[in-house]
Amino acid sequence: MGKMPDTVSTHDNAGLLVLAVDDEAPGLSEIKFLLESSPHIRRVLTAFDAAEALRILRGDYEQEVMARTKAGLPPVDAVFADINMPGLSGMDLARVLSAFRYPPALVFVTGVEERDALVTAFDVGALDFINKPINEERVLKAISRVADRVGRTAAPTAAPAQSAQMAAEPTDDEVIPVELGGTIKLVPRASVRYVEAQGDYARLHTQDGSHLVRIPLAQLEERWANAGFVRIHRSYLVALPLVSELRMTANGYAVVIGTGEGAKELPVSRRHTKELKERIVRPPKSGW
């Protein structure tokens, strides 16, 4: 789809530059309209399929996109993509985006028939999900998540490459899609107390219950390392800020997660004991 680039020479921090991708014209028009209704959004680019989206992200049509890439920034701040598209699907597009040196935030727009894809989409790094039929409140909430992520990485003193690297890291607003009673529930990562390995799956334990997701514990360990989650056992990953005690037991060390009636004791394996002790007693870095 041939577009003439707008004349843009610099990156404008006054609002978000986003890309909307949907192979159906009514759906694309709707998401574009709702995105533009947010004061956070400065400009919305559009693409009718994933192939065209990739051409836009390479800067084939947009001088601004090329300028951002050369400055060490993501080509756009966020991509809002439909999952079910002919040719390259939204999931295929997500996998390509995850390989970008500076990937933009990703928000999936999904239909009911795509629940299975949604549950397994977490490992491609989606920041949020919008279910069809689309409503304005849900779109604005997703935009706020994107704006918060971009705002956290836009420190004036940070070098462009450093800012972009930080932008690629997960934030406390990251959500995990889980299927519950035939519907998709979005569980904030900040609500997860600890994670338990169950084969190729992982069970997320929150204060309100637990949720099984199709992702190995090792992958969560790597993905959430910068968010304060540490491996204490081959079967457990815990949120370090929620560890209230490290105690000796008859079988070695154990940690206590939380306090009071909701406290949970978990075993610490010998191989992880030393590192855990160091993480607990390590003095905070300046500026924390």
Side-chain angles (χ1 to χ4, degrees):
M1 181 178 177
K3 292 183 180 179
M4 292 301 293
D6 292 347
T7 302
V8 180
S9 58
T10 59
H11 172 50
D12 184 353
N13 288 320
L16 301 174
L17 174 67
V18 301
L19 171 62
V21 190
D22 195 320
D23 64 298
E24 297 181 353
L28 186 60
S29 296
E30 182 180 23
I31 188 66
K32 183 177 187 291
F33 173 79
L34 292 175
L35 288 170
E36 290 177 337
S37 69
S38 167
H40 290 296
I41 300 296
R42 175 173 55 82
R43 187 167 175 234
V44 180
L45 308 177
T46 59
F48 279 107
D49 57 37
E52 183 187 11
L54 291 173
R55 288 193 293 270
I56 292 174
L57 294 172
R58 286 199 305 261
D60 289 0
Y61 306 138
E62 301 288 340
Q63 294 179 9
E64 180 179 5
V65 171
M66 182 65 72
R68 288 171 58 104
T69 302
K70 289 181 178 179
L73 295 168
V76 296
D77 293 303
V79 174
F80 287 73
D82 187 22
I83 284 185
N84 188 15
M85 294 186 290
L88 290 175
S89 68
M91 202 69 66
D92 294 327
L93 175 61
R95 294 188 180 97
V96 176
L97 292 180
S98 67
F100 276 32
R101 186 176 183 184
Y102 306 125
L106 173 63
V107 178
F108 275 130
V109 182
T110 69
V112 174
E113 70 278 5
E114 295 145 4
R115 282 176 180 157
D116 288 343
L118 181 59
V119 173
T120 59
F122 171 62
D123 62 343
V124 298
L127 179 66
D128 205 351
F129 305 84
I130 300 171
N131 288 320
K132 294 180 179 180
I134 301 170
N135 68 74
E136 182 178 9
E137 181 180 358
R138 190 65 191 85
V139 172
L140 294 179
K141 184 175 180 181
I143 294 171
S144 294
R145 282 201 170 114
V146 173
D148 183 60
R149 170 173 166 172
V150 172
R152 292 182 187 202
T153 62
T157 56
Q162 179 184 359
S163 296
Q165 181 179 2
M166 293 169 63
E169 295 175 358
T171 71
D172 288 339
D173 288 335
E174 186 171 350
V175 293
I176 304 93
V178 298
E179 189 166 8
L180 186 64
T183 62
I184 298 297
K185 179 178 180 181
L186 302 179
V187 178
R189 187 186 60 192
S191 69
V192 178
R193 305 170 71 208
Y194 66 96
V195 186
E196 181 180 5
Q198 294 193 352
D200 291 333
Y201 290 67
R203 183 168 293 279
L204 311 177
H205 291 267
T206 68
Q207 194 69 44
D208 300 325
S210 66
H211 309 280
L212 194 65
V213 294
R214 281 179 272 188
I215 182 170
L217 188 67
Q219 190 170 340
L220 281 180
E221 177 186 7
E222 179 180 356
R223 182 173 176 81
W224 290 0
N226 293 328
F229 282 79
V230 296
R231 190 74 167 262
I232 63 167
H233 189 276
R234 67 180 181 180
S235 298
Y236 295 106
L237 184 69
V238 303
L240 190 60
L242 299 182
V243 173
S244 58
E245 292 183 35
L246 175 64
R247 61 171 63 153
M248 280 291 296
T249 69
N251 298 317
Y253 279 95
V255 296
V256 177
I257 307 294
T259 58
E261 294 183 0
K264 175 70 175 181
E265 184 176 292
L266 299 172
V268 180
S269 65
R270 290 184 179 180
R271 61 173 295 196
H272 292 100
T273 298
K274 181 179 179 181
E275 180 183 358
L276 180 62
K277 284 182 177 179
E278 291 176 351
R279 292 287 297 271
I280 290 176
V281 303
R282 182 183 302 162
K285 297 180 181 178
S286 58
W288 281 18

